Amino acid sequence: MIASCGLIGRSAELASAARIVIQVAASDINVLITGPSGAGKEMIARALHAKSGKSGSPFIAVNVAALAPGIVESELFGHERGAFTGASSRRIGVFEQASGGTIFLDEIGEIPLDIQVKLLRVLEHRIFARVGGNALIRADFRLVAATNKDLAVQVERGAFREDLFYRLRVVSIDLPALSARKADIAPLALHFLEQRAAELKTDKLHIESGALRLFHKYDWPGNVRELKNVIDSFAVTSQSGRIRAVDFEKYMIDNSSRASLLPVVTHRTPEAAEHQLIFQALMTLSNEMSSLRRLIEHEVELIRGGQPVQSGLAQQFGSVNLEEVERALVERALDEADGNRKKAARMLGIGERTLYRKLEKYGLK
């Protein structure tokens, strides 16, 4: 089933996608492909076109995210001469170029709201006009869109039209990250290696079994695109033509160290992530306050028990007042740290922000 669609792999996830491709390819209904960047969404779109019975007709891919907002409309609809400054001649847009074929709009979530309205109109009425023109042109294309965003969340935020969302998502195909499709790694790697060997006109390219095992242990944050880049790069830079385990292991280590400096994808909405950060901050503050309180209570117990206290708090206060003890502890820590607030906070077992609040509270500068 997978091979019949021209797809490479043997994972259950890819088989599920191929099954939907076969079911809907012959129709002209819109398809929305979801999944992370580099997962192979265009590969699915091309499979839909190839199985549509119109494989000889145009397939035009447009990455919306790569277009400046001001030229998206002209790119899609085309424009007449003089439609705007710099429009020295008529331009035929993607909608006309793809007549009888398929348009693949990648990163559809990046399309501006004003263009969303016009795209919806084309999908509903199948007619459009070039920018600066009045003549209506019949739209004869099949639209396949793709996104790495959660468009339902974008709709809730008002960043994406709900009516367009449902118009695009007549059929939805989800393509998970390569890390969730481990069974696709070896077939894809060997396919890319064969492609590269043909381009270089050599039969010496080879992947060591140890390297292939490491391929399955690696997370591939760049997905299929990263796998292809790795094969291409090693095929050219390896003197022996072999992709060795030791070389790929170094690649894994280098990329792991770089990845540790990058934000981690949590698949949470921004609101949920913000709530999590607030919760963590409150927990940290709570722990810091508990630590300071335990320190104060310890000093108080020493004072009440008549035991000697190195800080001299017993000599400072005839009766015990928690705030006065706290103030004295902060003063003592600052004094012992020679005014270094970071060091003082560390001595008290609290964060710098908590210390700053205490300094403001007690007027200590």
Side-chain angles (χ1 to χ4, degrees):
M1 182 186 299
I2 293 175
S4 70
C5 292
L7 302 172
I8 308 297
R10 49 173 179 256
S11 69
E13 292 81 6
L14 191 62
S16 176
R19 190 175 300 110
I20 299 174
V21 167
I22 292 170
Q23 289 173 343
V24 306
S27 69
D28 62 352
I29 59 176
N30 302 325
V31 178
L32 179 64
I33 307 170
T34 59
S37 293
K41 297 188 290 294
E42 184 171 340
M43 176 179 66
I44 299 296
R46 289 186 179 276
L48 281 164
H49 179 68
K51 299 289 286 185
S52 67
K54 300 179 181 180
S55 57
S57 56
F59 175 92
I60 299 180
V62 179
N63 188 321
V64 179
L67 299 176
I71 68 169
V72 174
E73 185 176 11
S74 175
E75 183 73 19
L76 297 180
F77 296 87
H79 63 252
E80 297 289 358
R81 179 181 178 181
F84 49 82
T85 304
S88 57
S89 62
R90 171 185 285 178
R91 174 185 171 80
I92 302 301
V94 169
F95 290 163
E96 285 183 80
Q97 294 174 40
S99 181
T102 303
I103 295 176
F104 175 56
L105 292 183
D106 198 7
E107 306 299 354
I108 190 71
E110 302 297 333
I111 197 166
L113 278 169
D114 59 325
I115 308 301
Q116 290 181 30
V117 177
K118 298 177 180 180
L119 176 57
L120 178 64
R121 191 177 301 123
V122 174
L123 295 178
E124 288 180 339
H125 303 295
R126 291 290 167 177
I127 54 173
F128 66 94
R130 300 187 192 102
V131 178
N134 296 315
L136 295 179
I137 302 168
R138 182 74 182 170
D140 179 25
F141 60 83
R142 200 262 188 83
L143 180 66
V144 179
T147 181
N148 60 5
K149 291 185 174 182
D150 187 334
L151 289 187
V153 172
Q154 295 295 99
V155 168
E156 290 177 5
R157 291 184 192 152
F160 202 87
R161 291 182 63 92
E162 184 175 22
D163 45 9
L164 178 59
F165 171 55
Y166 288 115
R167 177 67 66 173
L168 292 173
R169 201 192 62 170
V170 179
V171 171
S172 181
I173 299 176
D174 182 56
L175 192 62
L178 186 57
S179 59
R181 296 154 41 207
K182 296 287 188 182
D184 293 340
I185 292 174
L188 281 168
L190 294 174
H191 172 70
F192 294 144
L193 192 72
E194 287 177 6
Q195 281 187 333
R196 198 60 178 161
E199 291 168 4
L200 297 174
K201 296 182 172 59
T202 179
D203 57 358
K204 295 182 178 179
L205 298 185
H206 180 70
I207 305 176
E208 287 185 356
S209 58
L212 209 52
R213 284 194 292 272
L214 288 177
F215 279 11
H216 286 81
K217 293 181 179 180
Y218 184 55
D219 282 339
W220 299 105
N223 294 295
V224 177
R225 185 179 296 127
E226 183 185 7
L227 175 58
K228 185 178 188 307
N229 290 343
V230 164
I231 298 297
D232 289 347
S233 175
F234 277 84
V236 172
T237 58
S238 172
Q239 293 181 348
S240 63
R242 299 174 68 87
I243 300 177
R244 303 182 306 167
V246 64
D247 296 325
F248 186 69
E249 186 173 24
K250 182 178 183 302
Y251 175 87
M252 290 173 65
I253 293 169
D254 290 345
N255 278 269
S256 296
S257 62
R258 280 196 292 270
S260 66
L261 303 175
L262 298 174
V264 177
V265 177
T266 62
H267 301 293
R268 296 192 187 101
T269 64
E271 290 81 4
E274 184 178 355
H275 291 161
Q276 179 69 15
L277 288 173
I278 292 171
F279 175 76
Q280 289 174 347
L282 288 173
M283 288 300 295
T284 300
L285 179 61
S286 174
N287 291 336
E288 289 174 356
M289 295 303 294
S290 296
S291 175
L292 186 57
R293 180 172 293 278
R294 284 194 297 271
L295 182 59
I296 293 169
E297 288 174 348
H298 175 67
E299 292 280 359
V300 169
E301 286 301 314
L302 292 177
I303 293 169
R304 285 175 174 162
Q307 298 181 38
V309 184
Q310 290 183 351
S311 63
L313 294 177
Q315 288 77 26
Q316 287 181 245
F317 308 105
S319 60
V320 178
N321 180 292
L322 286 180
E323 288 195 349
E324 290 176 345
V325 174
E326 182 180 68
R327 187 181 194 280
L329 284 169
V330 171
E331 285 182 315
R332 182 190 70 183
L334 280 171
D335 183 59
E336 292 183 3
D338 295 322
N340 186 318
R341 296 182 179 184
K342 188 173 185 178
K343 185 177 178 182
R346 205 163 45 237
M347 291 170 62
L348 290 167
I350 62 176
E352 285 185 74
R353 290 186 180 181
T354 302
L355 177 61
Y356 291 153
R357 282 192 289 271
K358 297 301 178 186
L359 295 177
E360 289 182 4
K361 178 180 178 181
Y362 298 121
L364 300 172
K365 300 296 182 182

